[in-house]
Amino acid sequence: MNFSMQIILDPKGIELIKFSDVDEESSESAQKITDLVQIIQNDTNHAIQAVKVNNSETETGIKMVNAAGQAFEQISDAVKKAAGEIQAVSGRSQEMSSSTNGLVVYGADFQCC
């Protein structure tokens, strides 16, 4: 066995001698270190899992934002197309109105029998 000896002086000047088993202390210290390493490994694994979940959620969010952007582009294109069709119909309505006014004028000038 491996022992250590400590000589301690208390405030009254009395020497105390303490013997301890170095092998036992080393074994206990090694176990404490092993336990701490295990705790650190577990915490690290939990952190890695949290990062993976966060990355997955971020990727899902990015896909959703991209899909929303595409939907807004499609809506914008549809609105532009509808606006163009409304202008075309408006233009045709004005042409028809002008033609109708001309017919009314011609009809008013027309005399029968």
Side-chain angles (χ1 to χ4, degrees):
M1 285 197 167
N2 202 356
F3 287 95
S4 70
M5 181 177 72
Q6 290 180 321
I7 299 175
I8 304 168
L9 293 175
D10 71 5
K12 296 177 184 175
I14 300 173
E15 290 184 8
L16 301 172
I17 300 174
K18 179 181 175 186
F19 292 95
S20 59
D21 184 353
V22 174
D23 292 335
E24 184 178 319
E25 288 179 6
S26 295
S27 178
E28 289 174 6
S29 295
Q31 184 60 46
K32 287 179 183 179
I33 291 170
T34 301
D35 292 345
L36 288 173
V37 168
Q38 184 64 41
I39 290 169
I40 292 169
Q41 286 176 335
N42 288 338
D43 289 348
T44 301
N45 287 335
H46 288 290
I48 289 170
Q49 290 303 318
V51 168
K52 285 181 181 179
V53 167
N54 189 28
N55 285 345
S56 176
E57 290 174 355
T58 300
E59 288 175 9
T60 300
I62 289 171
K63 288 177 184 177
M64 291 174 68
V65 167
N66 287 337
Q70 290 174 351
F72 282 124
E73 285 181 26
Q74 291 173 349
I75 291 169
S76 176
D77 291 345
V79 167
K80 288 176 185 175
K81 182 178 178 184
E85 291 175 2
I86 289 170
Q87 281 184 325
V89 169
S90 176
R92 287 188 201 120
S93 293
Q94 287 177 353
E95 288 175 10
M96 290 172 67
S97 177
S98 295
S99 297
T100 305
N101 286 340
L103 290 175
V104 170
V105 170
Y106 290 128
D109 290 344
F110 182 73
Q111 294 180 3
C112 180
C113 313

